[in-house]
Amino acid sequence: MKILGIVGSRRKNGNTAVLVQEALKPFEMQGMETKLIFLGDYDIKDCNGCECCHDTYKCVKQDGMQEIYPIILESDAVVLGSPTYFYNVTADMKAFIDRCYCFEAFDENDRSVWMSINEAFGGKYACVVAVCEQEKEEDMGYTATAMEKFLEALGYRVVSTVKALHLFAAREALKDEKVLLEARQAGEKLLKTLQLREKVKAQFSRSASDK
Ligand SMILES: Cc1cc2nc3c(=O)[nH]c(=O)nc-3n(C[C@H](O)[C@H](O)[C@H](O)COP(=O)(O)O)c2cc1C
């Protein structure tokens, strides 16, 4: 199994990076393969809305997303994290989200009927890490919701959301035992969900072959 951490902050030593890596630790302790990517390392252009991806599930724009698409497709689960920039995700995260539109499919006569390629192949799992400086959750605005709604539309069930408040300076999260534990527990829940999926699949095929 492969687990992908995606960081929407350009601060590589920032709070989002600390917490996404904390959520990946339970997988690493099990010897599972994890990968961490910083969206800022890639040239991710905005979606044109050209709809060329219709039916092909591929984006025509030749930029950094072409490196990220296969990594997403081969990952069993995602830990998606962004700081709050003016009550929402960062511009890097929003560009990334929009460019995943190529993974959506719509009925040709009724666009209210749609699904993602992940749903077509059985669904995936995720957790969300949203970070902000202010103490009140309302000052985080739409950061967590923007990532949750995106992941659900992409066929991921979000098993945990970590809302990390009151973090400003880079690496401040390392001193916040409570939020570190929350991120670790979010990763553990994601891990247990994937382990349960494997158990159910094995039990189901055993039970089916008993007949
Ligand atoms: C452009 C910008 C806008 C921000 N907007 C908000 C905001 O709306 N609410 C908030 O609580 N914090 C806001 N912050 C603070 C960051 O969310 C906070 O410092 C966070 O810890 C940064 O995460 P990082 O260390 O992963 O980069 C903003 C910071 C920047 C640079």
Side-chain angles (χ1 to χ4, degrees), residues 23 28 33 73 84 110 115 137 148 151 160 177 181 183 207:
E28 286 155 5
E33 192 180 336
L73 290 174
T84 300
D110 180 358
M115 71 167 62
E137 200 177 312
E148 286 167 347
L151 285 163
S160 305
E177 291 295 334
L181 180 65
S207 158

Side-chain angles (χ1 to χ4, degrees), residues 67-122:
E67 286 172 64
I68 298 178
Y69 289 135
I71 304 172
I72 298 172
L73 290 174
E74 69 185 17
S75 301
D76 296 280
V78 165
V79 179
L80 191 65
S82 177
T84 300
Y85 278 11
F86 285 103
Y87 310 101
N88 216 317
V89 293
T90 60
D92 286 341
M93 179 57 74
K94 184 64 169 86
F96 164 78
I97 287 174
D98 291 349
R99 292 289 301 287
C100 289
Y101 181 66
C102 57
F103 292 146
E104 299 295 320
F106 295 82
D107 180 277
E108 53 191 273
N109 301 313
D110 180 358
R111 287 188 59 87
S112 74
V113 177
W114 58 271
M115 71 167 62
S116 69
I117 56 163
N118 288 321
E119 276 177 281
F121 289 100

Side-chain angles (χ1 to χ4, degrees), residues 37-50:
I37 65 168
F38 290 87
L39 295 177
D41 285 345
Y42 298 82
D43 168 33
I44 304 176
K45 299 204 167 60
D46 294 337
C47 172
N48 283 346
C50 66

